[in-house]
Amino acid sequence: MRPITKVICIGLVFFMSTFLASFEAPGTAPVKGSRGMVVSVDSYATRVGLDILKRGGNAVDAAVAVGLALAVTYPAAGNIGGGGFMMIRMPDTGESIALDFREKAPGRATPDMYLDGKGRVVRNRSYFGHLAVGVPGTVRGFEAALKKYGCLDWKEVMMPAVRLAEEGFQLSAARAESFNRLKKRFKGNREFFKVFSKADGSSFKAGDVFTQPDLGRSLRILADEGPDAFYKGEIADMIVADMQKHGGLISREDLNLYRAREREPVFGSYRGFEIISMPPPSSGGSILIEMLNILEGYRLDRMERTAADTLHLMGEIMKFAYLDRARFMGDADFEEIPVKKLISKAHAREIREKIDLNRAAPSAKIGEDILVLDEAAETTHYSVIDKSGLAVATTYTLNGGFGSGVVAEGTGILLNNEMADFNMKPGYTNETGLIGTAPNTIRPHKRMLSSMCPTFVVKDGWIWLITGSPGGRTIINTVFCVIVQMIDFKLDVQAAVDAPRMHHPWMPDILGMEKGDIPEKTFTMLKSMGHDVRNIAGGQGDAHSIWIDPATGAYHGAADKRSQGTAAGY
Ligand code: DON
């Protein structure tokens, strides 16, 4: 072989192996990389992030670009009309930042805005249409992240999303199917179906190229004019005009006033690992740390991963911690939230004393009269790390799938239905699942309580795991399960993400379980211990995670097989 041919062959083999290693199918082994890793629910968005890293952008640039791309390619949850949280960790100083771009109640919102004349909750009003929409935070959040922690400029990170909207992208079978299912849910919503239907009225199918001209135009305006276009300029005008036309509350002033907030994360420790996560207005980080603190007092190394006593213990911990969530959590800018107490080891000791290792405690008995509201199902989490070790965990959402269904006329921008995360009826709690505790009652400009918890686990000062998940209230339990599978049961990141999950929300008093490799006798035993065990048929959460091998520094990306997620590294 001539030397030049040999070089080309070696190069080709190297390139192919890198390519194959980088885009391995999820569900088997994690995807490996040493210079960068992106894991998200969508292959287009993951590639956008990886391209940014390869072009010299850092993890924050990539995370913002992924978030913007998901607003186009995963419109069920990806958004610029919603909100969320981004955790950023500096590799050199170990400093972590919790960026809060959660939606807020409009200035004209009132505590009883979802009640009818007889004081009954009108659920549809908080889920669909203009009254369900909170003041969006995503654009301000991405702006704040990029300005302070990114190195590329706004337009550069926006352009991949602009192109995906204008030129379109190919629908996967799952995405086509999810669009087809919308026909009934948003029936009669003209502006919505201007985006989510085909001109000839036929159904979407896999391989269709899906373009979004209105959204493309809005994104181009944002790319050219900057984030102010959304809050003060042309896009703000269109959103406000649409609100006025349809009886929504969001005003120009609400948009003008919106600010993303940098907050001090909540910090905890678990068996020698540091846990860094999201503080209020999310309940996620505090309740996660509370649960880990309680679990730390038990010898899990002497227990089996799928045995009934293990799962009973985890279920009881969830139940007690979620009771605290219902009682205490809300927006700390408005309410006194006892975060310090909740994440203390002393509080964990008190709860351990209440847990019976052989018998399920009835939720009604431990929490007397408080019940919690069902939550909608669509959000997304993604994880990014770059070659310097800068780590980013982002969970953001429209709340329900495709949010409120409101597309502000002419913008192509889907707006959230995050107002449904507030307590609907102050002071009133009943058996249908309403909760009326004060900390999460609606007030003008207040942020609604969330469960989202983008989280870092750190070992000996080095980033060890980047994780998070969608799933409404199940989010905190999903993240808890992933961390416990890795730290206590020594599963690798992909196996931990794939492992069956469980959920006890305190109320309703039901222990939800994914089946996976859990033996039938475990379920039988759990029932005999007093649990109302139900199968989580559709799967719980979608925890796209990255583990950083402390021995080699290599990045291991694990896409969650419950969705069509993709990990890609280099
Ligand atoms: O902030 C929250 O906790 C909810 N709005 C999240 C909703 C959600 O995760 C639905 N997802 N699958």
Side-chain angles (χ1 to χ4, degrees):
M1 203 185 275
R2 283 168 43 200
I4 182 68
T5 319
K6 203 168 164 183
V7 168
I8 291 171
C9 283
I10 291 171
L12 202 62
V13 167
F14 179 74
F15 172 77
M16 286 304 291
S17 62
T18 310
F19 183 81
L20 290 175
S22 298
F23 287 95
E24 213 166 342
T28 45
V31 171
K32 295 197 182 109
S34 57
R35 288 191 284 165
M37 181 67 62
V38 182
V39 196
S40 88
V41 68
D42 177 76
S43 61
Y44 284 98
T46 292
R47 275 165 200 267
V48 162
L50 193 68
D51 283 350
I52 293 269
L53 293 181
K54 285 183 171 174
R55 272 195 282 141
N58 69 17
V60 172
D61 299 315
V64 171
V66 169
L68 292 164
L70 286 170
V72 180
T73 59
Y74 190 59
N79 68 81
I80 56 173
F85 304 110
M86 180 184 279
M87 297 286 303
I88 301 171
R89 184 176 186 275
M90 303 296 159
D92 39 4
T93 59
E95 185 199 356
S96 291
I97 294 102
L99 187 61
D100 164 5
F101 50 97
R102 181 70 162 167
E103 299 91 326
K104 293 171 74 168
R108 285 187 292 145
T110 57
D112 56 2
M113 63 186 275
Y114 298 115
L115 303 181
D116 67 11
K118 294 189 171 144
R120 289 173 304 207
V121 175
V122 188
R123 297 287 288 264
N124 267 1
R125 212 186 274 168
S126 71
Y127 277 106
F128 300 112
H130 291 71
L131 279 179
V133 185
V135 183
T138 298
V139 175
R140 281 283 183 239
F142 287 172
E143 175 192 29
L146 203 68
K147 245 188 197 158
K148 196 156 167 196
Y149 303 103
C151 55
L152 301 182
D153 71 31
W154 175 254
K155 184 155 186 172
E156 199 168 349
V157 298
M158 282 225 59
M159 284 318 289
V162 172
R163 281 192 288 271
L164 282 163
E166 288 178 347
E167 293 162 21
F169 64 96
Q170 277 196 325
L171 295 181
S172 63
R175 206 73 81 239
E177 189 40 45
S178 83
F179 290 2
N180 292 334
R181 279 199 300 265
L182 298 169
K183 281 187 187 143
K184 210 166 132 202
R185 182 137 145 245
F186 295 113
K187 202 170 160 206
N189 184 336
R190 218 167 50 91
E191 197 64 21
F192 184 87
F193 286 111
K194 197 173 147 197
V195 182
F196 296 103
S197 66
K198 287 165 80 167
D200 63 2
S202 65
S203 295
F204 289 103
K205 53 186 188 325
D208 283 353
V209 174
F210 182 63
T211 54
Q212 296 167 83
D214 283 353
L215 181 61
R217 201 173 323 110
S218 296
L219 290 170
R220 201 168 265 285
I221 292 171
L222 268 180
D224 289 339
E225 296 174 18
D228 274 1
F230 191 97
Y231 292 94
K232 296 179 171 173
E234 195 175 331
I235 297 172
D237 289 343
M238 291 166 91
I239 293 173
V240 172
D242 199 64
M243 286 286 151
Q244 285 170 351
K245 189 165 163 190
H246 298 280
L249 298 185
I250 294 178
S251 66
R252 215 165 203 294
E253 196 192 15
D254 290 329
L255 290 170
N256 278 197
L257 284 176
Y258 187 88
R259 301 279 180 278
R261 298 283 306 273
E262 253 190 40
R263 301 191 186 273
E264 172 78 356
V266 281
F267 295 94
S269 64
Y270 182 64
R271 303 195 203 279
F273 290 81
E274 247 182 283
I275 311 294
I276 307 170
S277 192
M278 204 62 217
S282 183
S283 58
S286 314
I287 300 303
L288 173 67
I289 290 171
E290 176 177 347
M291 291 197 292
L292 290 169
N293 281 342
I294 304 168
L295 190 61
E296 198 176 39
Y298 299 93
R299 294 291 307 259
L300 247 64
D301 56 336
R302 296 182 182 161
M303 297 167 85
E304 277 176 39
R305 187 172 67 81
T306 59
D309 57 348
T310 310
L311 301 178
H312 163 74
L313 174 61
M314 289 172 69
E316 291 301 281
I317 290 172
M318 291 171 179
K319 190 187 295 177
F320 278 95
Y322 270 66
L323 169 57
D324 280 343
R325 177 189 184 275
R327 278 211 172 114
F328 297 120
M329 300 304 290
D331 182 354
D333 288 346
F334 283 74
E335 315 285 344
E336 212 40 66
I337 314 288
V339 172
K340 254 197 185 142
K341 174 186 156 76
L342 294 179
I343 65 171
S344 70
K345 301 282 183 194
H347 184 62
R349 269 195 300 278
E350 279 168 25
I351 298 211
R352 278 198 294 272
E353 275 163 26
K354 296 181 188 163
I355 291 178
D356 181 338
L357 291 176
N358 301 305
R359 196 75 209 149
S363 294
K365 201 163 160 210
I366 65 168
E368 291 150 33
D369 64 346
I370 311 171
L371 292 168
V372 283
L373 188 70
D374 294 341
E375 282 174 59
E378 212 66 71
T379 291
T380 193
H381 171 84
Y382 57 95
S383 300
V384 182
I385 190 163
D386 67 17
K387 60 178 185 287
S388 74
L390 178 65
V392 183
T394 310
T395 315
Y396 78 147
T397 188
L398 290 165
N399 191 29
F402 302 87
S404 59
V406 173
V407 175
E409 195 174 334
T411 65
I413 299 172
L414 261 170
L415 298 173
N416 66 83
N417 61 348
E418 216 71 60
M419 290 296 284
D421 275 358
F422 276 119
N423 294 345
M424 297 287 106
K425 189 167 175 174
Y428 180 80
T429 297
N430 75 7
E431 286 174 10
T432 69
L434 286 180
I435 178 168
T437 53
N440 192 33
T441 297
I442 302 174
R443 290 217 248 147
H445 306 297
K446 186 175 174 181
R447 283 155 151 94
M448 56 295 285
L449 181 63
S450 174
S451 300
M452 294 189 279
C453 49
T455 297
F456 299 133
V457 180
V458 170
K459 177 80 179 138
D460 301 326
W462 299 100
I463 182 80
W464 189 79
L465 179 69
I466 309 169
T467 192
S469 177
R473 268 183 294 150
T474 67
I475 290 172
I476 320 172
N477 285 332
T478 293
V479 174
F480 177 64
C481 288
V482 170
I483 292 174
V484 171
Q485 299 301 332
M486 290 191 73
I487 293 182
D488 289 295
F489 298 113
K490 314 283 181 241
L491 297 190
D492 79 30
V493 64
Q494 188 68 61
V497 164
D498 292 346
R501 296 178 185 144
M502 56 190 290
H503 177 59
H504 198 300
W506 171 62
M507 278 291 184
D509 193 353
I510 289 170
L511 184 61
M513 311 271 312
E514 287 184 335
K515 182 124 188 29
D517 60 354
I518 297 173
E520 212 45 55
K521 70 169 192 277
T522 292
F523 294 110
T524 312
M525 280 188 71
L526 284 168
K527 284 176 193 159
S528 72
M529 294 165 105
H531 292 282
D532 182 354
V533 181
R534 309 272 179 96
N535 180 31
I536 305 173
Q540 176 177 309
D542 197 21
H544 304 297
S545 307
I546 301 173
W547 174 63
I548 300 90
D549 183 347
T552 62
Y555 303 151
H556 296 234
D560 198 321
K561 70 179 179 198
R562 293 165 186 78
S563 71
Q564 312 278 311
T566 311
Y570 78 117

